[in-house]
């Protein structure tokens, strides 16, 4: 078990830029995981609204990069999402509940949450 980090690296963490597909592939190739748990995100809604292109790379593209690298390795891939997929009016939500994001962060997470194939 190990953790990865970009800007907050420290003891026991592997430094990686998840916005770079070659770094994602190299990380998985070097570490040979059986399971990849991806929880990285630009989670601040105000930043996603003011910098949508930059946050899209981390919230959507990086998930694709890691999912594809995990699939190539044959590793299971777990992506942590958010309740920002929903508008909050009909909680609790089931896995197949219709989404209704209210901001850019939620919209980005919807796009990646509904992508199930990384091959």
């Amino acid at each position: 078990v190990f953790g990865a980090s970009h800007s907050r690296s420290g003891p026991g963490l592997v430094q990686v830029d998840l916005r770079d597909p070659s770094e994602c592939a190299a990380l998985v190739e070097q570490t040979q995981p059986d399971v990849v748990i991806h929880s990285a995100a630009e989670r601040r809604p105000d930043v996603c609204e003011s910098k949508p292109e930059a946050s899209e790379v981390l919230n959507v593209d990086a998930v694709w990069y890691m999912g594809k690298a995990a699939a190539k390795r044959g590793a299971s891939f777990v992506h942590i999402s958010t309740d920002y997929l929903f508008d909050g009016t009909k909680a609790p939500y089931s896995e197949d509940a219709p989404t209704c994001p209210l901001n850019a962060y939620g919209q980005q997470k919807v796009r990646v949450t509904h992508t199930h194939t990384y091959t």
Side-chain angles (χ1 to χ4, degrees), residues 31-99:
T31 58
Q32 299 289 300
D34 294 319
V35 178
V36 174
I37 300 173
H38 179 83
S39 61
E42 174 48 75
R43 57 173 178 64
R44 298 169 294 175
D46 58 321
V47 174
C48 294
E49 293 291 338
S50 65
K51 299 179 181 179
E53 296 84 12
S55 61
E56 178 99 9
V57 174
L58 186 57
N59 290 340
V60 179
D61 298 345
V63 178
W64 173 258
Y65 303 151
M66 287 304 299
K68 189 172 181 176
K72 182 177 179 184
R73 158 83 177 120
S76 296
F77 183 70
V78 178
H79 170 245
I80 308 300
S81 193
T82 177
D83 60 353
Y84 279 80
L85 301 174
F86 309 105
D87 62 9
T89 62
K90 297 179 184 167
Y93 296 98
S94 63
E95 288 184 35
D96 60 350
T99 57

Side-chain angles (χ1 to χ4, degrees), residues 52 56 59-60 85 101 104-116 118:
E56 178 99 9
N59 290 340
V60 179
L85 301 174
Y105 175 63
Q107 292 163 1
Q108 291 168 355
K109 297 301 264 188
V110 163
R111 282 196 291 285
V112 74
T113 299
H114 291 295
T115 303
H116 299 289
Y118 295 100

